Amino acid sequence: GAFVVMTGRTRERIDAAREQLIADTGVAPERIDTAVLDGGNPDSIRAAMAKLRSEYGRIDILINNAGSAGPKQPLHNVPLSTVEMEASGETETVRNAMLNILGVTWNMARIVAPLMPVGGAMVNISTIFSHTRYYGRTAYVVPKAALNALSTQLAGELGPRGIRVNNVFPGPIESDRIRTVFAAMDEVQGQPENTTADYFTGRMALTRPEKGKI
């Protein structure tokens, strides 16, 4: 029954995601709106939130689900500069990863929290990998671990105002994407194929319904 506003940096992509969500769920189109904003740019967030508040009155729930994969390198090879990034064949530096994984949530939380009423809720999406081994993914795991600490601090500060803050720790879902990530970890460590995948699939349930079937 909620009215949902999806956000993203690119109008075309966020509108396409909205249309796909409507097609997948059958939800009434008037229940979903979109807003273009850059989570790494505080002014962009403020402008978008001011517009949303003027149009809809309030923001009850904030879901912080932005992020990125980060460089996939052993710690000593994680690129700090653009030159190192290009030399390593990566697409992000540590700074990029920190901004995308931690900074966006930090910006959204600090700007949106003052706009939320008593009874509001904030949900930050972390990862189970902040509590498990995840070789070659320091630039991803460390910002996520910092996000866990940020959520704790936010809960302590916003709780007295009647705003609940929760962290969610998703695990891996069986898919081509996670298999690609696991394969990259095997390659970085010089391990046999499927070593990482077998480690995690042996410890977690990784299935989900597909068209009503498991």
Side-chain angles (χ1 to χ4, degrees):
F3 182 89
V4 176
V5 179
M6 304 171 65
T7 68
R9 290 178 294 182
T10 306
R11 168 61 65 189
E12 292 76 14
R13 291 185 64 185
I14 197 64
D15 284 348
R18 174 182 176 273
E19 294 303 316
Q20 187 63 56
L21 184 62
I22 291 170
D24 289 344
T25 65
V27 67
E30 61 269 20
R31 304 300 299 174
I32 306 178
D33 198 358
T34 61
V36 177
L37 64 83
D38 180 352
N41 183 332
D43 290 337
S44 175
I45 298 173
R46 291 189 181 100
M49 292 303 123
K51 183 173 184 294
L52 291 177
R53 195 180 190 193
S54 69
E55 292 177 351
Y56 302 113
R58 67 185 195 272
I59 300 171
D60 295 306
I61 302 170
L62 173 65
I63 309 293
N64 284 313
N65 193 36
S68 62
K72 304 176 185 67
Q73 298 285 339
L75 182 57
H76 63 277
N77 282 339
V78 173
L80 295 177
S81 67
T82 301
V83 172
E84 292 178 344
M85 178 189 73
E86 294 173 348
S88 65
E90 294 288 346
T91 58
E92 288 185 288
T93 63
V94 170
R95 181 182 184 280
N96 298 145
M98 290 290 289
L99 178 62
N100 293 329
I101 298 170
L102 176 64
V104 169
T105 294
W106 196 315
N107 273 332
M108 293 293 294
R110 70 192 181 95
I111 293 170
V112 176
L115 307 178
M116 302 179 77
V118 171
M122 187 178 300
V123 181
N124 298 329
I125 308 301
S126 182
T127 174
I128 195 67
F129 296 125
S130 62
H131 295 296
T132 68
R133 78 183 199 190
Y134 208 32
Y135 187 86
R137 301 302 304 282
T138 304
Y140 176 78
V141 170
V142 171
K144 284 293 190 181
L147 174 60
N148 301 344
L150 174 63
S151 297
T152 300
Q153 293 297 115
L154 286 169
E157 294 189 14
L158 299 180
R161 289 181 42 204
I163 298 174
R164 185 179 71 253
V165 180
N166 292 103
N167 236 22
V168 177
F169 296 89
I173 302 297
E174 183 61 68
S175 63
D176 291 339
R177 180 180 182 277
I178 197 65
R179 285 283 175 175
T180 299
V181 172
F182 288 159
M185 294 172 68
D186 289 339
E187 183 177 355
V188 168
Q189 296 178 87
Q191 293 180 330
E193 186 178 0
N194 292 325
T195 298
T196 302
D198 291 344
Y199 171 81
F200 284 107
T201 56
R203 287 161 175 75
M204 300 178 183
L206 299 177
T207 58
R208 60 182 174 187
E210 292 289 345
K211 297 182 179 178
K213 298 181 180 179
I214 298 295

